[in-house]
Amino acid sequence: MTTSLLEQLIDALRVLPGVGQKSAQRMAYHLLERQREGGKRLSGALAEAMERIGHCERCRDFSETDVCPTCASSARDAHLLCVVESPADRLAIEQATGFRGLYYVLQGRLSPLDGIGPRELGLDRLAQRLEEGEVQELIVATNPTVEGEATAHYLAQLARARSVHPSRLAHGVPLGGELEYVDRGTLSHAFGSRSEIP
Amino acid sequence: MTTSLLEQLIDALRVLPGVGQKSAQRMAYHLLERQREGGKRLSGALAEAMERIGHCERCRDFSETDVCPTCASSARDAHLLCVVESPADRLAIEQATGFRGLYYVLQGRLSPLDGIGPRELGLDRLAQRLEEGEVQELIVATNPTVEGEATAHYLAQLARARSVHPSRLAHGVPLGGELEYVDRGTLSHAFGSRSEIP
Ligand SMILES: [Zn+2]
Ligand SMILES: [Zn+2]
């Protein structure tokens, strides 16, 4: 017995985070009843994004070009490099603060038990970049979790060994929280009061 | 300045009910980081569904064929016709109860102030169907709201005038609630204890 297009749509919607059977049904009916054009637009945007968005070869953030617009911009201050765990964290900082330096996106955090070491986070390439001498301050904006702190510690050593000043966000970010969900004001304040890692 | 594919995707995701900017960002990153195949599958399912799902000419429910599988089935009891406001309500009843009759989906409820009268709900075609004589009981399963009750009253008169017994779901469905969100047990009980509209 083949499943109907409606059932296929409901099933496919469950790929979205936080969307269970009931929500998926509600979404499918909503689109069919009131948003057919929006549904078609979403279909196109999904296909394009899944196919064409890769990673920037400089900062590892998502990018549809080899080098992302931020890394390619001459208006950014290349002396400041901010390291974040995820593209969502990068976006949160970019939206909340006036930061005009560059970013480095780990796409994860050190987690030896899960087999995620320095290599998986591209830290060999980051080290190489720090050796080039342009970066003067490495702003470590990993999450205030156990693994995030361990990653921050590793990054600070990596920077110091190459005469780059490591710094981290000021207290103000709630402990145990996820950077992505911190309100803009708090995040902006914490970013502005970052301190050198002693 | 053109927007990036990522921004386009985030914007397009906001067409989904209950999805704001923050949720849309989270969804987009989740798909890009962990569910590219699922994202492509969703794109295809959306395109197919938006393009090919229309309405059954018998019951007005969503259908990808002229007549939906339920209306076309010889295994359903054509003496029982259950009227619901929406496809979601129809699905809720089908999933919660052992009902083996047929459905009629109003795709709305009587709402004179919004210009929704009997004609907009296809009640002329429903009346015609009742006159054909096959339907013996019209189970009115509109929502227990003011407009839903008014619609139920109208449908009961429509049925009686054509010697069809109108009935409605038993008390048990919470007043002011939406049928779609009632738990299965309550809905199944209410459906089983439906009473004739006096
Ligand atoms: Zn980049
Ligand atoms: Zn049908």
Side-chain angles (χ1 to χ4, degrees):
Chain A
M1 173 133 181
T2 58
T3 56
S4 70
L5 293 177
L6 179 59
E7 287 166 323
Q8 286 173 38
L9 174 58
I10 290 169
D11 189 58
L13 281 164
R14 298 190 54 180
V15 75
L16 299 171
V19 175
Q21 178 69 17
K22 227 24 182 174
S23 303
Q25 282 175 12
R26 198 160 56 92
M27 287 175 168
Y29 284 127
H30 176 84
L31 293 176
L32 286 168
E33 280 164 22
R34 286 187 283 276
Q35 293 279 6
R36 298 243 177 178
E37 285 313 310
K40 287 180 194 173
R41 198 160 58 86
L42 176 54
S43 167
L46 273 168
E48 289 274 314
M50 297 302 111
E51 201 62 59
R52 290 176 45 199
I53 294 180
H55 293 277
C56 170
E57 59 190 37
R58 284 287 284 170
C59 71
R60 295 165 54 102
D61 193 8
F62 289 125
S63 174
E64 56 199 90
T65 48
D66 290 346
V67 175
C68 77
T70 303
C71 288
S73 167
S74 59
R76 312 283 305 206
D77 182 354
H79 296 129
L80 300 175
L81 188 62
C82 177
V83 184
V84 292
E85 292 181 19
S86 73
D89 291 342
R90 179 213 169 280
L91 182 66
I93 288 175
E94 184 74 3
Q95 289 178 339
T97 74
F99 183 60
R100 297 299 296 161
L102 295 173
Y103 294 95
Y104 198 82
V105 182
L106 300 174
Q107 302 280 3
R109 64 202 90 176
L110 289 178
S111 182
L113 293 179
D114 302 314
I116 300 175
R119 191 181 188 79
E120 283 68 31
L121 302 182
L123 298 191
D124 42 350
R125 279 166 53 202
L126 177 60
Q128 205 177 330
R129 182 157 167 186
L130 296 183
E131 265 154 30
E132 289 166 9
E134 196 168 28
V135 178
Q136 291 170 359
E137 178 183 352
L138 189 74
I139 304 169
V140 180
T142 50
N143 281 303
T145 58
V146 173
E147 288 177 341
E149 295 287 357
T151 307
H153 185 71
Y154 187 98
L155 288 167
Q157 287 183 314
L158 194 87
R160 267 194 225 96
R162 286 153 189 88
S163 308
V164 174
H165 293 288
S167 63
R168 63 175 177 187
L169 302 199
H171 283 301
V173 177
L175 282 167
E178 293 283 320
L179 218 62
E180 186 183 346
Y181 298 104
V182 174
D183 67 275
R184 287 189 178 205
T186 306
L187 190 57
S188 183
H189 174 84
F191 197 83
S193 333
R194 64 184 181 271
S195 61
E196 185 161 345
I197 300 180
Chain B
M1 173 134 183
T2 57
T3 56
S4 71
L5 292 177
L6 179 59
E7 288 166 321
Q8 287 173 36
L9 174 57
I10 291 169
D11 188 57
L13 281 164
R14 298 190 56 182
V15 75
L16 298 172
V19 175
Q21 179 69 15
K22 222 37 175 169
S23 303
Q25 281 175 13
R26 197 160 57 92
M27 287 175 169
Y29 284 127
H30 176 85
L31 293 176
L32 286 168
E33 280 165 21
R34 285 187 284 276
Q35 293 279 6
R36 297 242 179 180
E37 285 313 310
K40 287 181 194 171
R41 200 160 56 87
L42 176 55
S43 167
L46 274 168
E48 289 274 315
M50 296 302 111
E51 202 60 61
R52 290 177 44 199
I53 294 180
H55 293 277
C56 169
E57 58 189 39
R58 284 285 285 169
C59 71
R60 296 166 53 102
D61 193 9
F62 290 126
S63 174
E64 56 199 88
T65 46
D66 291 345
V67 175
C68 77
T70 302
C71 288
S73 166
S74 59
R76 311 284 304 206
D77 182 353
H79 297 130
L80 300 175
L81 187 62
C82 177
V83 184
V84 292
E85 292 181 18
S86 73
D89 291 342
R90 179 212 168 280
L91 181 66
I93 288 176
E94 183 73 5
Q95 289 178 339
T97 74
F99 182 60
R100 297 299 297 161
L102 297 173
Y103 295 94
Y104 197 83
V105 182
L106 299 174
Q107 301 281 3
R109 64 203 88 177
L110 289 178
S111 181
L113 292 178
D114 301 315
I116 300 174
R119 193 180 186 80
E120 283 67 31
L121 302 182
L123 298 191
D124 41 351
R125 278 165 52 202
L126 176 61
Q128 205 177 328
R129 182 159 167 185
L130 297 184
E131 265 154 31
E132 289 166 9
E134 196 169 28
V135 178
Q136 291 168 359
E137 178 184 352
L138 189 75
I139 304 169
V140 180
T142 51
N143 281 301
T145 58
V146 173
E147 288 175 343
E149 295 287 357
T151 307
H153 185 71
Y154 187 97
L155 288 166
Q157 287 185 312
L158 194 86
R160 268 193 225 98
R162 286 153 189 87
S163 307
V164 173
H165 293 287
S167 63
R168 63 173 179 190
L169 302 199
H171 282 302
V173 176
L175 282 167
E178 294 282 320
L179 219 62
E180 187 183 346
Y181 298 104
V182 174
D183 68 275
R184 287 190 180 204
T186 306
L187 190 55
S188 182
H189 174 84
F191 197 84
S193 336
R194 65 185 181 271
S195 61
E196 185 159 346
I197 300 181

